[in-house]
């Protein structure tokens, strides 16, 4: 079968289409004919071997797919690796039926980015009605959904960051109250200005480095910052205990993989998200579709911040 396979770690240039043996489902696994695979920023770390879990070569990247099982079910699944291919296997507990009214793109936008946004707001920061929320990369897969969920759940003021005027406009269309430039220089002051001169209650942060530090400085007393990525590749300054104590502020980490170990954390949040989409209350953004032979371009576009929303990979071309 056709798949994108890497035989060395590196950037987008190592993503090559190859003929590989099709996977076989073992005990407790499900074989899926892939209609579309999801593309995540985490895939770029997987290809570089800079992710939280180390990869082994040769590798077919891609952690999520939507397609059909051998018995005809339409499903979305988390596969860990192997998604950039015509077929993939997944553990049965990581396979979820897709209801009518939810498109392939919707399902892929929700299974990782949607459940991440859900848990970032519900589980990690315990967003309360009336609180202000800062959402970095508001035009991205997680950010675009987090904006909508925060508004649905009663956030008082939603502030989004984005890297261009067009992206900032899109975050406003999704429901953000204000959109600002996410560049790290002077970010704290822009955050405070966007919130009427006040620090913010909740921050969803996935850039790292100076962006993390500036966001933390703009955090209100009893505020919560959750970090779920490091797109800049830079480390934030160490947080001394005293900096947390002053203001009674909280810094949390979130990695969706940890939800896999707790039955129901994915299924329950995904069920809620499917219902919101089917009811027209939540609108996933599908930002582009690429063929297998264009996987390198997809990664290049994502790294260069030329994309919005969810990116899809079509294994038929």
């Amino acid at each position: 079968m056709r798949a994108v396979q890497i035989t060395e770690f590196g950037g987008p240039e190592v993503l090559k289409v190859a003929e590989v043996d099709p996977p076989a489902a073992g005990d407790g696994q499900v074989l899926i004919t892939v209609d579309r695979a999801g593309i995540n920023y985490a895939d770029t770390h997987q290809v570089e071997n800079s992710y939280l879990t180390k990869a082994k070569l040769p590798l077919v990247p891609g952690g999520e797919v939507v397609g059909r099982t051998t018995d005809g079910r339409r499903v979305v699944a988390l596969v860990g690796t192997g998604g950039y291919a015509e077929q993939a296997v997944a553990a049965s507990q990581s396979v979820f039926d897709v209801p009518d009214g939810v498109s392939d793109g919707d399902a892929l936008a929700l299974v990782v980015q949607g459940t991440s946004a859900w848990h970032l707001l519900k589980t990690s920061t315990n967003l309360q009605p009336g609180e202000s929320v800062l959402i970095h990369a508001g035009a991205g897969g997680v950010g675009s959904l987090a904006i909508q969920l925060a508004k649905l759940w009663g956030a008082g003021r939603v502030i989004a960051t984005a890297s261009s005027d067009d992206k900032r406009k899109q975050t406003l269309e999704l429901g953000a109250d204000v959109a600002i430039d996410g560049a790290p220089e002077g970010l704290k002051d822009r955050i405070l200005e966007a919130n009427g001169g006040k620090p913010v209650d909740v921050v969803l942060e996935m850039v790292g480095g100076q962006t993390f530090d500036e966001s933390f400085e703009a955090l209100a007393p009893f505020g919560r910052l959750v970090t779920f990525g490091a797109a800049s590749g830079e480390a934030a300054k160490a947080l001394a205990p005293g900096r947390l104590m002053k203001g009674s502020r909280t810094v949390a980490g979130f990695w969706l993989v940890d939800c896999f170990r707790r039955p129901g954390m994915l299924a329950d949040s995904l069920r809620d998200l499917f219902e919101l989409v089917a009811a027209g209350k939540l609108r996933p953004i599908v930002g582009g579709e690429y063929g297998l032979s264009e996987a390198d371009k997809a990664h290049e576009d994502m790294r260069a911040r030329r994309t919005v929303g969810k990116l899809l990979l079509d294994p038929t071309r």
Side-chain angles (χ1 to χ4, degrees):
M1 71 170 186
R2 294 173 71 244
V4 173
Q5 186 183 62
I6 66 170
T7 56
E8 61 180 319
F9 295 116
E13 72 282 354
V14 304
L15 295 162
K16 307 290 185 181
V17 176
E19 286 290 332
V20 303
D21 293 334
D27 291 341
Q29 293 184 317
V30 176
L31 178 65
I32 300 167
T33 297
V34 179
D35 292 326
R36 296 292 184 275
I39 305 172
N40 293 308
Y41 200 90
D43 298 347
T44 68
H45 294 300
Q46 191 178 60
V47 171
E48 292 175 331
N49 203 23
S50 61
Y51 199 44
L52 292 176
T53 54
K54 297 303 179 183
K56 295 181 180 180
L57 297 174
L59 171 71
V60 175
E64 62 193 32
V65 300
V66 64
R68 299 280 176 175
T69 63
T70 54
D71 59 357
R73 294 162 56 204
R74 179 168 167 255
V75 299
V76 64
L78 297 170
V79 296
T81 61
Y84 291 10
E86 293 179 319
Q87 290 185 308
V89 293
S92 57
Q93 66 267 26
S94 299
V95 178
F96 308 94
D97 289 294
V98 180
D100 293 337
V102 177
S103 70
D104 287 353
D106 291 341
L108 285 171
L110 296 177
V111 70
V112 169
Q113 281 103 338
T115 54
S116 292
W118 195 100
H119 282 292
L120 287 166
L121 292 168
K122 285 276 192 181
T123 307
S124 297
T125 63
N126 191 27
L127 174 68
Q128 297 298 302
E131 289 188 317
S132 55
V133 185
L134 170 66
I135 299 171
H136 283 292
V142 174
S144 60
L145 292 164
I147 288 169
Q148 297 176 71
L149 291 174
K151 296 300 289 186
L152 281 171
W153 295 336
R157 189 167 182 80
V158 174
I159 302 162
T161 75
S163 59
S164 69
D165 288 339
D166 287 344
K167 288 185 178 183
R168 289 190 283 274
K169 180 180 178 181
Q170 183 178 46
T171 66
L172 297 174
E173 292 170 351
L174 290 170
D177 296 292
V178 61
I180 62 175
D181 187 350
E185 294 77 14
L187 180 58
K188 172 190 172 183
D189 292 337
R190 294 197 299 278
I191 295 169
L192 296 177
E193 181 182 0
N195 201 36
K198 300 177 182 179
V200 293
D201 298 304
V202 169
V203 177
L204 309 189
E205 202 285 314
M206 40 62 71
V207 181
Q210 187 179 347
T211 299
F212 177 102
D213 296 326
E214 295 272 333
S215 301
F216 178 79
E217 292 299 331
L219 197 59
F222 294 99
R224 291 90 65 203
L225 181 153
V226 56
T227 176
F228 62 105
S232 68
E234 300 174 1
K237 295 178 181 177
L239 281 178
R243 295 184 70 202
L244 295 174
M245 292 168 61
K246 186 177 181 180
S248 301
R249 295 176 288 186
T250 297
V251 173
F254 177 78
W255 190 29
L256 188 67
V257 172
D258 291 320
C259 293
F260 301 171
R261 304 180 180 96
R262 298 196 177 192
M265 287 193 78
L266 279 180
D268 292 347
S269 57
L270 193 55
R271 186 181 305 111
D272 188 20
L273 293 165
F274 281 159
E275 290 175 356
L276 289 171
V277 168
K281 296 179 179 180
L282 182 66
R283 180 168 64 94
I285 304 298
V286 177
E289 185 172 292
Y290 302 78
L292 275 186
S293 59
E294 300 172 307
D296 57 344
K297 185 178 188 302
H299 280 222
E300 288 171 0
D301 289 346
M302 191 160 45
R303 286 169 175 266
R305 298 186 176 184
R306 291 192 289 263
T307 64
V308 296
K310 185 65 188 177
L311 303 184
L312 309 181
L313 198 66
D314 180 355
T316 67
R317 61 183 181 89

